[in-house]
Amino acid sequence: MSAARTLITVAPTGAETAKAAVPALPVTLDELVETGQACEAAGAALIHVHVRDDHARPTLDLARLRDTVEALREATTLLVQLSTGGAVTDPFDDRLRVLDAEPDSCSLTCGTVNFGDDVFQNPWPFMAELYQRTQAQQVVPEFELFDLGHVAALHRLLDSYGAPYGGQIHCDLVMGVPGGMPGTAQALVAAVAALPQGASWSATGIGRTTLPVALAALSAGGHLRVGMEDTVTFAKGRPVTDNAQLVRRAAELAALAQRPPMSTDDARALLRVKNRRTAAVAGRP
Ligand code: KMH
Ligand code: ZN
C-alpha cells in the first residue's frame, strides 16, 4: 500500500565528490546546518550525513560526528541519519563507532558491491555486528540496497537477529551505481517485490538515473532520497546550485503524485526513532 505522504531524504554531501570540483557541496558544519535548514524548508524530513575534515576530506571522526548531530538537532527538526558506509577506504571499526554519536538513524548497507573502480566492503560479519549494535544502541537502521542480492541479505539479517530497533523495517534502494543494480523501473519493481512484508522504502537514483528512479518510486508508492551525494547535475548541462534545489524538485514531483512531503513529526512516527531531541534542544534560549 502506498503512503499518503512522501518522506523526502536529503543526502547533501557524500564521501566521493571533491569540494574543489563542486564548490556548492556543503562540507563545513556551518554549510551543513544551513543546508539542513534550507532543505527542511523545501520539504525534506530526514538528512543522511557524511562529514568532512578541515581539508574537506571525508572523515568518521567521532567528535565531529557528535557535533554535527547536535548542531543539526538544534537548528532543524530533521531526523539525523549518519552514514556508516563512510568512504570506501574507511576501516570497519571506525564505521561501527559512528553509532556512538547517537544519531536517530544510520545507514546499513546489506552487502559488498563494486563501486565504480572501487569496492564498497560490507561482508556478512560486519553487517551482522553493525545491525546488533543498532539494536543495542537504539538507532533505527536504514537498509541500503544496491543490488537484488542485498535484499536477500536483509532477510537473512532479520531472520538471524530479529526486528530493527523501533520495529519498522525501512529500506533505501540505491540504484544506478556502476557495479550495482541499474536505475530502471524494472529493477525497482523487482527489488520492491522482494522486500520484507510491511517494509517502507525510498529510492535513490545516482547521476542521470535520479529522475527516472524518482518517478518510478513515486508511481510504485515509495519515498524519495535526493541530494548532491547522488547527483551534482540538475539537468543536462546544468550543475546543481544547491541541495534545496533537488529537494524542491522532489517535493514538486511528490505533490504532483498526490503524495506531498511528510513533516518531520510524521517521519518520526513512520520510522519510530527514539526521542533524543528533548535533551539536545533543552539548552535553547
Ligand atoms: N560512500 C559510499 C562508499 C552510506 O552512506 O552508507 C557508501 C555510502 C553508503 O555512501
Ligand atoms: Zn551515504
Side-chain angles (χ1 to χ4, degrees):
M1 202 182 71
S2 113
R5 288 189 171 260
T6 304
L7 170 65
I8 299 182
T9 298
V10 63
T13 308
E16 283 72 39
T17 301
K19 176 78 169 172
V22 181
L25 195 75
V27 295
T28 66
L29 185 55
D30 284 352
E31 286 170 348
L32 201 54
V33 166
E34 201 181 299
T35 296
Q37 290 173 320
C39 290
E40 182 174 2
L46 195 159
I47 186 164
H48 168 86
V49 178
H50 290 250
V51 301
R52 301 288 179 103
D53 66 14
D54 289 339
H55 305 283
R57 291 179 303 226
T59 176
L60 292 178
D61 177 75
L62 189 55
R64 264 179 204 264
L65 290 170
R66 279 189 208 280
D67 289 349
T68 304
V69 170
E70 193 181 332
L72 285 167
R73 280 205 185 113
E74 278 189 9
T76 75
T77 70
L78 294 167
L79 282 71
V80 182
Q81 177 183 94
L82 290 180
S83 166
T84 64
V88 289
T89 45
D90 282 322
F92 294 133
D93 281 350
D94 292 1
R95 292 171 57 190
L96 292 170
R97 210 172 302 118
V98 165
L99 298 190
D100 295 347
E102 298 187 48
D104 300 307
S105 170
C106 70
S107 56
L108 192 164
T109 297
C110 291
T112 294
V113 63
N114 282 319
F115 196 77
D117 293 346
D118 296 309
V119 178
F120 179 27
Q121 301 274 3
N122 296 282
W124 173 256
F126 170 72
M127 285 170 55
E129 176 66 26
L130 177 56
Y131 185 52
Q132 292 173 88
R133 288 195 190 200
T134 64
Q135 292 170 315
Q137 296 187 232
Q138 303 186 321
V139 174
V140 173
E142 178 182 278
F143 300 103
E144 309 296 333
L145 309 169
F146 288 63
D147 220 334
L148 209 46
H150 291 191
V151 185
L154 165 59
H155 282 278
R156 184 180 171 197
L157 262 190
L158 298 171
D159 291 347
S160 304
Y161 302 108
Y165 172 73
Q168 178 61 31
I169 301 164
H170 184 66
C171 308
D172 180 47
L173 309 178
V174 187
M175 311 186 70
V177 168
M181 63 182 151
T184 61
Q186 291 87 339
L188 182 137
V189 167
V192 170
L195 293 179
Q197 190 79 26
S200 51
W201 59 277
S202 60
T204 308
I206 303 300
R208 67 186 61 174
T209 71
T210 294
L211 269 176
V213 166
L215 293 167
L218 283 171
S219 66
H223 301 284
L224 302 178
R225 171 176 132 169
V226 295
M228 294 177 75
E229 172 167 345
D230 305 323
T231 184
V232 291
T233 304
F234 189 74
K236 198 169 179 199
R238 276 177 68 191
V240 171
T241 55
D242 56 26
N243 280 281
Q245 182 191 34
L246 292 168
V247 174
R248 267 194 303 279
R249 179 168 69 179
E252 283 163 14
L253 294 176
L256 268 176
Q258 303 295 297
R259 289 201 295 121
M262 104 177 22
S263 67
T264 52
D265 281 347
D266 288 347
R268 283 199 165 75
L270 170 68
L271 300 186
R272 302 185 212 160
V273 300
K274 179 175 174 159
N275 181 12
R276 291 180 160 97
R277 287 189 58 76
T278 345
V281 300
R284 278 182 176 178

